[in-house]
Every structure is written in C-alpha cells, then in structure tokens.
Amino acid sequence: MNYKETLLMPKTEFPMRGNLPNREPKMQEDWENMDIYKQVQERTKGRPLYVLHDGPPYANGDLHMGHALNKILKDFIVRYKSMAGFHAPYVPGWDTHGLPIEQTLTKKKKVNRKKMTVAEFRQRCADYALQQVDNQRTQFKQLGVRGDWENPYITLDKDYEAAQIEVFGEMANKGYIYKGKKPVYWSPSSESALAEAEIEYHDKRSPSIYVGFDIKDSKGVVEGDEKFIIWTTTPWTIPANMAIAVHPELSYVTVEANGGKYIIAEKLIDEVAEALSWEKPQIVKTYKGSELEYVVAQHPMYDRDSIVTLGEHVTTEAGTGCVHTAPGHGEDDFVLGQRYGLEVLCPVDEKGYFTDEAPGYEGLFYDAANKDITEKLEEVGALLNLTFMTHSYPHDWRTKKPTIFRATSQWFASIKDFREQLLNEIQDVTWTPKWGETRLYNMVRDRQDWCISRQRAWGVPIPVVYGEDGTPIITEETINHISGLIREHGSNVWFEREAKDLLPEGFTSEHSPNGTFTKEEDIMDVWFDSGSSHQSVLKERDDLQRPADMYLEGSDQYRGWFNSSLSTSVAITGKAPFKSILSHGFTLDGEGRKMSKSQGNVIVPDKIMKQYGADILRLWVSSVDYQSDVRISDNILKQVSEVYRKIRNTFRFLLGNLHDFDPSKHTVSEENLQEVDRYMLLRLQELTSKVRSAYDEYEFATIYHAVHNFCTIDLSAFYLDFAKDILYIEAKDNPRRRSIQTVYYEMLTSLTQLLAPILAHTTDEVWEHIPGVETNSVQLTDLPEAKEVKNHQELKAKWDHFMDVRDDVLKALEDARNEKVIGKSLEAHVTIVPKDDQTKELLENVSHLEQLLIVSGAEVAMEEPQAKEYDHVDVYVKAHPGEKCQRCWVVTEELYSSNEHPELCPRCASIVEEHYEA
C-alpha cells in the first residue's frame, strides 16, 4: 500500500504565487462589473454616516508616490469604516484650474493663446484637465482604491463653480472681501500674485550690502553729520525706499569709526564693526529709538526724503537695527507706511522689470539691476560694504523661481476679521498628529489677509462688476444671478459675455448713471477653489454631510487645503468643515533623500504595480510610520514582499487544510474544542482586538506588525506546525482534527476580514476559496468583533507559560542539533525537569506533549543528571532509540506490532486498517 495516499494532505486551488501584476487588473475589472462600490453603499445604508472628504489632487500628469500614499491611506480608513458599522461613501475629487495647465498647453502642447480668445483658451484648458482626470482616475483605480469614480467632484464642474461663487458672495456680504493695494508675493515667472500656500523656500545667493543714509534734518536730536546704516539683501528695492525704521524701545548709538559717524542699534555694534572692518569704534551718543522718530535722512540715489519711523517689527537678530523701508515691497513696510502716510512706490512691473518710476533703471530685470544699483551706491559714497550670502528665499512653488514682494491692486479676504472664530474652531478639532493643531493655530494667529485674486485666465472668475466711477459692485442680487448663470453655462460665460449681460435684467446702480459696467478680469486663487469644497461638495451632495468626519492630506496642506477650507467655512458658517485632521509626511528614497529626476531616485507607483503589484504597495503603506516622512526603495519593497509571502502562505495553508471542512456540518462548539485550540482561538481574539483598536487609531503599522507576528510566531512556528501531525495523519472526522479545523476556519475568515482594508485584492481572492461563505466579496462583510473565550484568564496564564517552557525545549533541541545528537526534531526524545510546582503541574496536565513539541518522545521527570539548565525547565535531549513510522515519521519502539502493516506505528496502523482498507 502507498501510505502517502492515506494522508489528508492540504488541497486548494488558491495559488502559492501571488502573480499580482497580472491577477489584480482582472479583479479590478470584476469589481467594476459588479459595481462593488454601489453594493457596499447599499449594504451599509442606514448606518451612521462617516465622511472622509477627499482633498483634490491637481489634474496634471501621472501619479507619484505622494499620491499613492495619500489615496491608499484614505482607502484603508473608508474600507475599515464600511466594515465597522458605518456608512462610508467616498467621493474622489480633482483640482482642475490654475497655472500649471496653462503652462503645459502653451509650452508643451504649443498652444498659441494669443491667436484665440480667453474663452477659447479656457476651453482648451478644460479639455486638457478632463483628460488628466481620466488618466489619474485609471491609475487610482489600479491602486485598488474604492470610490464613486463615475461621480467624482471636479472643480471645473458648473455646479461646483456656482457654489464657489456663492461662498465668495457670502464672504463679501459679511464684509470679509475687499480690494486694496498692498504688497503681495508676486511671481515674475508666473506674472501673478501668489498666496502664502503657493510659496516654498529654497536657497538663493544674494548680495548683502550695508548702505549709509546722510541726515538731511536732525530735528535737534542728532548732530546732523552722521549716517544711518541700513542692511539689505535686495539692493533692487533701494529705489523704492521711503523710510528707515527703528524700534522705539531699543537703544541706538552714534559710533565714531574709521573717520565717520554712524547710527546703529547698540546691541549690534560688534557685528557691524566686524562687517565694516571698523577699528576701535567709539560710542559718542546714545538714544532711545523713539527719540529718533521723524529725523529726515536723504535717499542715497534720488532727491527724496527718507524719514525715520518707529516699527515694532525691527529686531537685532541681524543687520543694524535700522531697517530699510519700501512700502511697495514689504508687508511690514507697507503697514508702517500706512501709519506714516508714505507713498506706496512699486517701480517694478508684472514681469519683474523696472518701470520709469525708477529713473536710470527702466527696462532692467529686478535681479539684474542689483549690480547697477550697487555700483551707483558705491559711486555716490553710500555703499559701506558688499558681500554675498546664501540664504533661504521664497520661490514660486510651480516655476521654482524666486518671488518678490510687489504692491499691486488685489482682492483680499480679511482673515483678521474672523480670526478669533478660526482659532476657537481649531481647538475643537481632533488632530493627528497632535502637533498639527499648534502648526495651524500659529499660522492662523499670524495671518492678516489672504490675497485671493490671480492675474490668469484659467480659473473661476471673481464675480465683481464695476460702476462707471470704478466702484466694485457685489450684491446678493448680482451674486445670485452670476451663480445661476455659471450653474447653467459654466464659468466661461463670464469671459464670453459683456458685463451688462452678466447682470440681472434691468439692473441699475447709483455708480453707473449711464448703465455702463465693466467686469473684473482676475480669477480666484485655486486654494479658494478647493477650499470651497465643503460647500460645493459636502453641502451640495445628498450622500455627504458637512462637517466631514475627516480631512486627510500631506503635512504641506496645513498652509494649503486645511487652511483655505477652514477659512472659507468659518467665514460663511462659523464652523470648521472637518471634525478631525490626519496628516502624513512626504515620500523619500531609501536613503532619506527627496526624490528628483536630476538625482535619478524617483520611484513611481506604476512601476511598482507592474513589478510587484498594488497589494505590495498597499502593504508598504501599512508598514510605515506615515505621520513622519517615509522611505521607499527596491530593497524596502523586497522586505515587504517577504512579509506578503508569509501572509499569503498562511492563507494558503489554512485554505489547504479546510478542503474537507464544511462549517455548517463540522464546526465544533467552543466547549468541545481541545484546550490548545481554545488557547489559539483566544490568541486570535487578542489579535482581533489589537487590530480593531489600531484601525480606530489609524495606526496601520501596528496592524502590519501584529498580523505578521501572528502568522510567523503563533501560526507558522507553532499552531500550523504541530497540527500537521493531526490534520494529515488522523482520520477525516477525528475530533481533534475537526477541533483544529474549526479554529483554522475562524482564523482564516477573521484574518481575511481584518486585512481586507489593506490587502484589498488578495483578501478578495482568498474569500473566493473559503468554504461556506455567503457573500461573493469580503468587502460585503463586517470585521469580526473580539469574542470572549470561556475561562480566558486561566487559559491564557496556563498556555502562555507553556509557550515559555516550549521555548526552552526548542533551545535544547537546537543545542542538541548543533552537537549532532539529533537531526530533525522528530528524532528526539526529551526529558523535562520542571523548576517549580507550577511548571510541574502544567506539564502533567498538557496532553500530547510530544506532539506539541514535535518530538517522538517526551517525559516529565523530577530529576535528570544530564539535563541542561534553561530559563523555566532543565532539558535532556537524546536520540530516540526506536524506528521511524513510514506514515507519520514519528520514531517509536512499537513498530511491527501490526502483522498487516509492520512499518507503521500503532496509531497509523489502526487508522489505515479502519479507514483505508476495503
């Protein structure tokens, strides 16, 4: 007889190899055909609503790792919530307006916008944006992200734009919107104003100059033959100088040095002396800053006064304590200038070139003018020192080129008018990580105004018309009418019609006695677009609600979407649009460096999915501490793949050993389970509790490690290993075998469900092979709840202690193997000497001890001279003196007891005779 044929070996069609790059696309096709999103929503309808509101990615280009990290994290949460008692719709969105699309069309697509109307160019932008939405949608679906992909929100949609116009109107109605001339971040490379959220800092090499200003009118405070010294890294702003600022409370001194007299802050004498190579500077006179107010200095290049003003913004961290003040080129300078009635001079045009308001420099690019202006200062004897320094400087986040401060006429949202409400709302939001609260709080606390106008074509128009006297007209009537037009025709209607045709029929205004109107040409900041999504999406869609339960984005969105959404929502509703914020870090390469094409270290999701599969990428996301910056590389992905292989093999082993198990017929009740099986059931409940808790806290790395350890330590190294001697060897309906299978089935279904939010494809694949499940997808089930196992405390104490003793025995077996006493563990006979009564009682009350230890003989003795000492027991290992059974491979001295089957042990002989002989 071929004894191999009498073994109940594992059988399953679930493949060992994942082959994910080929298998996943077919599964995604199946999900689409069955409309899995709709099925999930129908199943959970009526449950408490949980809304994770999608921050819209920009619709331009292929996905990068940041996209993948973000969308996969969101998918974990939405999938978990839908399996944990909630109704969790997920509506993906796209941000579709803005400069990058304009630039792509004009530079890469060679669209000549000068040969078409604004409306025609905008239509080209819209067409391109929608192509990009389709491209990114396909890629997001390939990641296994489940959502309402056929009904996303897109910021260029008519309804979205109309609701955004209403947000603007409501803010204007409350007095929060105004037009004014003041310095804003200006990008010469983009020819547009920028919001703070569109600024990023990079190193820049700049000239560092010290300039002397002669005194024209001493006001009787100073002698009059001194020079005020200012320091700046922007010589190009000197033509716009209108004043010198000093701090009212600081101490200032007249210093005699190198044949001249200079006024600077007393605290900065040493630094200035070193910079200007002064030898033995002498303090001649001391003043309080406030005494110097209204002293008049002479502009070093033009016949213009530069008055001394008092400014609280002046510090002694660098420079001279006397601050060059150009109200047209700095925020603090502007505020100070308003107080002193200074002219807001900005002699630089939208492209960064000097105008005729800077005589001698007309037509020069501002940065190039640094050299000419510095030479002029030297020529007139005002330049005291010139060096160069590299420092952090604001750049346009899109073009990566330096920005300037430039005073222009812009539209602003006055944040300061409702700042206290914003700060109060921030404190009512749940923040993960906790430092997010402080970060946004500080940003809002220090924010005055938000520049919301942009001098571009592709965006939502600022819905303002002007009367004949130049007065902006924004009324409830005009806003409602314009919003209605846009809801019907889209925002292009603004660019296609004359101003009068954008107003209600018969509209009149005291500002236009002749009935003539003009319209605003600027568009809104794209952050106003996405920041209005709480109104355009959460409020307008029936399947969502405001406030959302969560906004989840990268940590750069504290100054971006989190900030703009909070601002617009509090402005119009008085409330934050979110109950909680969760933020993640950036993706770096394996060395912790930022990814860039120039360094050749860019890793893209598409390549990972083609090489490894989406589930490997998803498992990687679950493995990292995503609240900080995260690393990814081929080596890291290989490590994750090994963990995936362990999990997959665990699924396969469990499935293989349930091939003859019907849960409706063969399930053993808990009280009839073997004690070790009840212990493993308890271990499963502990895992379930830990995983559920980790999902609730969004701690996915805890799940990754807990499941991996469970598969490796609890299952592979113990439960799946010793059980082979029962599952393969015993007869089909043996009670011990069915007991193990009952727990295996529970483990299989529970693990599949617990991992379903993370391993979206693999768990659905496993689910197809599980006997007796009623739904056709694990996504249509709920996560298991941790159940209480009877007498769990005593059970846990006993078997945890047994596992400690087992560790000692395994060490002893390893030592014996190294000493060539045994080969495989089944060749061993172990004698175990307990060190205390508790251990003795434990070992005497564990049945099938040799089976649990995977040895052929095990006895408990009170002493054994040859035993080695370990932590909990002493152990003596010797080679078992018997011979190997040809069916179970256990070594026994009882072979040949059966005439029919002399090569078998008594157990195997009786099984074969009873079940396999005709």
Side-chain angles (χ1 to χ4, degrees), residues 729-753:
I729 306 301
E730 298 292 350
K732 187 165 73 169
D733 290 320
N734 177 278
R736 290 181 66 210
R737 188 169 181 275
R738 290 303 190 200
S739 177
I740 290 172
Q741 285 182 314
T742 298
V743 176
Y744 272 21
Y745 187 81
E746 186 84 11
M747 285 179 166
L748 177 61
T749 54
S750 292
L751 280 173
T752 307
Q753 290 167 320

mmCIF file of all heavy atoms in Angstrom, residues 729-753:
data_model
loop_
_atom_site.group_PDB
_atom_site.id
_atom_site.type_symbol
_atom_site.label_atom_id
_atom_site.label_comp_id
_atom_site.label_asym_id
_atom_site.label_seq_id
_atom_site.Cartn_x
_atom_site.Cartn_y
_atom_site.Cartn_z
ATOM 1 N N ILE A 729 -2.523 13.174 9.437
ATOM 2 C CA ILE A 729 -2.365 11.781 9.853
ATOM 3 C C ILE A 729 -3.674 11.153 10.319
ATOM 4 O O ILE A 729 -4.001 10.020 9.953
ATOM 5 C CB ILE A 729 -1.317 11.680 10.990
ATOM 6 C CG1 ILE A 729 0.012 12.352 10.569
ATOM 7 C CG2 ILE A 729 -1.102 10.231 11.391
ATOM 8 C CD1 ILE A 729 0.667 11.774 9.332
ATOM 9 N N GLU A 730 -4.438 11.914 11.122
ATOM 10 C CA GLU A 730 -5.651 11.335 11.708
ATOM 11 C C GLU A 730 -6.735 11.129 10.635
ATOM 12 O O GLU A 730 -6.658 11.702 9.544
ATOM 13 C CB GLU A 730 -6.194 12.244 12.816
ATOM 14 C CG GLU A 730 -5.262 12.450 13.998
ATOM 15 C CD GLU A 730 -5.041 11.194 14.831
ATOM 16 O OE1 GLU A 730 -5.754 10.192 14.615
ATOM 17 O OE2 GLU A 730 -4.130 11.201 15.688
ATOM 18 N N ALA A 731 -7.719 10.364 10.996
ATOM 19 C CA ALA A 731 -8.855 10.137 10.093
ATOM 20 C C ALA A 731 -9.634 11.432 9.938
ATOM 21 O O ALA A 731 -9.591 12.322 10.799
ATOM 22 C CB ALA A 731 -9.760 9.049 10.648
ATOM 23 N N LYS A 732 -10.369 11.539 8.851
ATOM 24 C CA LYS A 732 -11.045 12.763 8.457
ATOM 25 C C LYS A 732 -11.869 13.392 9.589
ATOM 26 O O LYS A 732 -11.784 14.571 9.858
ATOM 27 C CB LYS A 732 -11.937 12.468 7.246
ATOM 28 C CG LYS A 732 -12.554 13.710 6.635
ATOM 29 C CD LYS A 732 -13.114 13.457 5.255
ATOM 30 C CE LYS A 732 -14.395 12.640 5.331
ATOM 31 N NZ LYS A 732 -15.109 12.609 4.024
ATOM 32 N N ASP A 733 -12.679 12.573 10.255
ATOM 33 C CA ASP A 733 -13.594 13.112 11.257
ATOM 34 C C ASP A 733 -13.085 12.988 12.684
ATOM 35 O O ASP A 733 -13.852 13.119 13.637
ATOM 36 C CB ASP A 733 -14.962 12.425 11.141
ATOM 37 C CG ASP A 733 -15.689 12.842 9.878
ATOM 38 O OD1 ASP A 733 -15.625 14.038 9.526
ATOM 39 O OD2 ASP A 733 -16.300 11.979 9.222
ATOM 40 N N ASN A 734 -11.811 12.748 12.828
ATOM 41 C CA ASN A 734 -11.221 12.678 14.158
ATOM 42 C C ASN A 734 -11.546 13.967 14.925
ATOM 43 O O ASN A 734 -11.377 15.073 14.394
ATOM 44 C CB ASN A 734 -9.697 12.513 14.028
ATOM 45 C CG ASN A 734 -9.007 12.510 15.375
ATOM 46 O OD1 ASN A 734 -8.751 13.566 15.941
ATOM 47 N ND2 ASN A 734 -8.697 11.336 15.885
ATOM 48 N N PRO A 735 -12.040 13.859 16.174
ATOM 49 C CA PRO A 735 -12.456 15.059 16.922
ATOM 50 C C PRO A 735 -11.349 16.104 17.057
ATOM 51 O O PRO A 735 -11.615 17.303 16.984
ATOM 52 C CB PRO A 735 -12.858 14.510 18.281
ATOM 53 C CG PRO A 735 -13.217 13.071 18.032
ATOM 54 C CD PRO A 735 -12.328 12.612 16.920
ATOM 55 N N ARG A 736 -10.114 15.640 17.280
ATOM 56 C CA ARG A 736 -9.015 16.607 17.410
ATOM 57 C C ARG A 736 -8.784 17.335 16.085
ATOM 58 O O ARG A 736 -8.461 18.520 16.055
ATOM 59 C CB ARG A 736 -7.728 15.906 17.848
ATOM 60 C CG ARG A 736 -7.785 15.416 19.293
ATOM 61 C CD ARG A 736 -6.492 14.741 19.693
ATOM 62 N NE ARG A 736 -5.383 15.702 19.725
ATOM 63 C CZ ARG A 736 -4.129 15.371 19.466
ATOM 64 N NH1 ARG A 736 -3.811 14.125 19.132
ATOM 65 N NH2 ARG A 736 -3.189 16.272 19.520
ATOM 66 N N ARG A 737 -8.954 16.613 15.000
ATOM 67 C CA ARG A 737 -8.771 17.217 13.670
ATOM 68 C C ARG A 737 -9.858 18.257 13.393
ATOM 69 O O ARG A 737 -9.588 19.373 12.968
ATOM 70 C CB ARG A 737 -8.783 16.124 12.602
ATOM 71 C CG ARG A 737 -8.404 16.600 11.209
ATOM 72 C CD ARG A 737 -8.175 15.429 10.263
ATOM 73 N NE ARG A 737 -7.802 15.936 8.956
ATOM 74 C CZ ARG A 737 -8.661 16.325 8.011
ATOM 75 N NH1 ARG A 737 -9.964 16.222 8.245
ATOM 76 N NH2 ARG A 737 -8.239 16.799 6.864
ATOM 77 N N ARG A 738 -11.090 17.900 13.679
ATOM 78 C CA ARG A 738 -12.189 18.842 13.447
ATOM 79 C C ARG A 738 -12.084 20.044 14.394
ATOM 80 O O ARG A 738 -12.474 21.159 14.051
ATOM 81 C CB ARG A 738 -13.534 18.145 13.635
ATOM 82 C CG ARG A 738 -13.888 17.113 12.561
ATOM 83 C CD ARG A 738 -13.890 17.701 11.168
ATOM 84 N NE ARG A 738 -14.447 16.784 10.163
ATOM 85 C CZ ARG A 738 -14.228 16.876 8.866
ATOM 86 N NH1 ARG A 738 -13.437 17.842 8.392
ATOM 87 N NH2 ARG A 738 -14.766 16.025 8.022
ATOM 88 N N SER A 739 -11.546 19.821 15.575
ATOM 89 C CA SER A 739 -11.349 20.915 16.528
ATOM 90 C C SER A 739 -10.371 21.941 15.954
ATOM 91 O O SER A 739 -10.630 23.154 15.977
ATOM 92 C CB SER A 739 -10.828 20.356 17.855
ATOM 93 O OG SER A 739 -10.561 21.402 18.765
ATOM 94 N N ILE A 740 -9.250 21.451 15.425
ATOM 95 C CA ILE A 740 -8.264 22.356 14.807
ATOM 96 C C ILE A 740 -8.879 23.058 13.606
ATOM 97 O O ILE A 740 -8.747 24.279 13.440
ATOM 98 C CB ILE A 740 -6.999 21.567 14.376
ATOM 99 C CG1 ILE A 740 -6.217 21.110 15.612
ATOM 100 C CG2 ILE A 740 -6.115 22.432 13.472
ATOM 101 C CD1 ILE A 740 -5.074 20.180 15.314
ATOM 102 N N GLN A 741 -9.600 22.296 12.763
ATOM 103 C CA GLN A 741 -10.191 22.907 11.567
ATOM 104 C C GLN A 741 -11.197 24.004 11.926
ATOM 105 O O GLN A 741 -11.293 25.012 11.235
ATOM 106 C CB GLN A 741 -10.878 21.829 10.717
ATOM 107 C CG GLN A 741 -9.889 20.950 9.946
ATOM 108 C CD GLN A 741 -10.620 19.935 9.082
ATOM 109 O OE1 GLN A 741 -11.560 19.277 9.538
ATOM 110 N NE2 GLN A 741 -10.182 19.803 7.845
ATOM 111 N N THR A 742 -11.923 23.788 13.020
ATOM 112 C CA THR A 742 -12.880 24.818 13.457
ATOM 113 C C THR A 742 -12.159 26.129 13.741
ATOM 114 O O THR A 742 -12.599 27.205 13.326
ATOM 115 C CB THR A 742 -13.628 24.332 14.713
ATOM 116 O OG1 THR A 742 -14.369 23.157 14.385
ATOM 117 C CG2 THR A 742 -14.563 25.406 15.248
ATOM 118 N N VAL A 743 -11.036 26.032 14.443
ATOM 119 C CA VAL A 743 -10.275 27.240 14.780
ATOM 120 C C VAL A 743 -9.574 27.790 13.535
ATOM 121 O O VAL A 743 -9.509 29.012 13.341
ATOM 122 C CB VAL A 743 -9.278 26.957 15.919
ATOM 123 C CG1 VAL A 743 -8.416 28.188 16.206
ATOM 124 C CG2 VAL A 743 -10.025 26.549 17.180
ATOM 125 N N TYR A 744 -9.075 26.896 12.673
ATOM 126 C CA TYR A 744 -8.465 27.352 11.413
ATOM 127 C C TYR A 744 -9.479 28.175 10.608
ATOM 128 O O TYR A 744 -9.153 29.208 10.023
ATOM 129 C CB TYR A 744 -8.023 26.160 10.574
ATOM 130 C CG TYR A 744 -6.616 25.660 10.857
ATOM 131 C CD1 TYR A 744 -5.973 25.949 12.062
ATOM 132 C CD2 TYR A 744 -5.935 24.882 9.924
ATOM 133 C CE1 TYR A 744 -4.700 25.468 12.323
ATOM 134 C CE2 TYR A 744 -4.660 24.405 10.161
ATOM 135 C CZ TYR A 744 -4.047 24.701 11.376
ATOM 136 O OH TYR A 744 -2.783 24.232 11.619
ATOM 137 N N TYR A 745 -10.722 27.696 10.565
ATOM 138 C CA TYR A 745 -11.749 28.383 9.781
ATOM 139 C C TYR A 745 -12.000 29.779 10.357
ATOM 140 O O TYR A 745 -12.094 30.757 9.615
ATOM 141 C CB TYR A 745 -13.042 27.570 9.789
ATOM 142 C CG TYR A 745 -14.096 28.130 8.857
ATOM 143 C CD1 TYR A 745 -14.053 27.863 7.487
ATOM 144 C CD2 TYR A 745 -15.126 28.946 9.335
ATOM 145 C CE1 TYR A 745 -15.000 28.389 6.620
ATOM 146 C CE2 TYR A 745 -16.078 29.487 8.477
ATOM 147 C CZ TYR A 745 -16.009 29.196 7.121
ATOM 148 O OH TYR A 745 -16.946 29.721 6.260
ATOM 149 N N GLU A 746 -12.063 29.834 11.661
ATOM 150 C CA GLU A 746 -12.266 31.122 12.325
ATOM 151 C C GLU A 746 -11.088 32.054 12.047
ATOM 152 O O GLU A 746 -11.264 33.245 11.781
ATOM 153 C CB GLU A 746 -12.398 30.896 13.840
ATOM 154 C CG GLU A 746 -12.753 32.121 14.644
ATOM 155 C CD GLU A 746 -14.252 32.398 14.686
ATOM 156 O OE1 GLU A 746 -15.036 31.529 14.259
ATOM 157 O OE2 GLU A 746 -14.618 33.487 15.117
ATOM 158 N N MET A 747 -9.884 31.480 12.097
ATOM 159 C CA MET A 747 -8.691 32.282 11.820
ATOM 160 C C MET A 747 -8.681 32.767 10.376
ATOM 161 O O MET A 747 -8.364 33.937 10.097
ATOM 162 C CB MET A 747 -7.423 31.453 12.084
ATOM 163 C CG MET A 747 -7.123 31.265 13.551
ATOM 164 S SD MET A 747 -5.648 30.259 13.793
ATOM 165 C CE MET A 747 -5.333 30.569 15.535
ATOM 166 N N LEU A 748 -9.028 31.900 9.466
ATOM 167 C CA LEU A 748 -8.996 32.246 8.051
ATOM 168 C C LEU A 748 -9.976 33.381 7.751
ATOM 169 O O LEU A 748 -9.615 34.375 7.119
ATOM 170 C CB LEU A 748 -9.331 31.008 7.204
ATOM 171 C CG LEU A 748 -9.409 31.231 5.698
ATOM 172 C CD1 LEU A 748 -8.082 31.723 5.144
ATOM 173 C CD2 LEU A 748 -9.821 29.930 4.990
ATOM 174 N N THR A 749 -11.229 33.233 8.195
ATOM 175 C CA THR A 749 -12.218 34.270 7.901
ATOM 176 C C THR A 749 -11.855 35.574 8.620
ATOM 177 O O THR A 749 -11.936 36.657 8.030
ATOM 178 C CB THR A 749 -13.635 33.821 8.310
ATOM 179 O OG1 THR A 749 -13.632 33.409 9.676
ATOM 180 C CG2 THR A 749 -14.123 32.689 7.427
ATOM 181 N N SER A 750 -11.407 35.464 9.866
ATOM 182 C CA SER A 750 -11.074 36.677 10.628
ATOM 183 C C SER A 750 -9.876 37.402 10.019
ATOM 184 O O SER A 750 -9.903 38.628 9.835
ATOM 185 C CB SER A 750 -10.771 36.332 12.087
ATOM 186 O OG SER A 750 -11.937 35.888 12.740
ATOM 187 N N LEU A 751 -8.814 36.669 9.710
ATOM 188 C CA LEU A 751 -7.624 37.302 9.113
ATOM 189 C C LEU A 751 -7.955 37.943 7.775
ATOM 190 O O LEU A 751 -7.475 39.037 7.459
ATOM 191 C CB LEU A 751 -6.497 36.274 8.933
ATOM 192 C CG LEU A 751 -5.664 35.937 10.167
ATOM 193 C CD1 LEU A 751 -4.712 34.786 9.862
ATOM 194 C CD2 LEU A 751 -4.864 37.156 10.627
ATOM 195 N N THR A 752 -8.773 37.257 6.991
ATOM 196 C CA THR A 752 -9.152 37.803 5.684
ATOM 197 C C THR A 752 -9.901 39.115 5.866
ATOM 198 O O THR A 752 -9.630 40.109 5.178
ATOM 199 C CB THR A 752 -10.023 36.789 4.906
ATOM 200 O OG1 THR A 752 -9.338 35.533 4.857
ATOM 201 C CG2 THR A 752 -10.288 37.274 3.488
ATOM 202 N N GLN A 753 -10.827 39.144 6.797
ATOM 203 C CA GLN A 753 -11.598 40.367 7.030
ATOM 204 C C GLN A 753 -10.735 41.466 7.656
ATOM 205 O O GLN A 753 -10.829 42.635 7.267
ATOM 206 C CB GLN A 753 -12.800 40.059 7.925
ATOM 207 C CG GLN A 753 -13.861 39.226 7.200
ATOM 208 C CD GLN A 753 -14.896 38.644 8.145
ATOM 209 O OE1 GLN A 753 -14.563 38.200 9.240
ATOM 210 N NE2 GLN A 753 -16.139 38.638 7.717
#
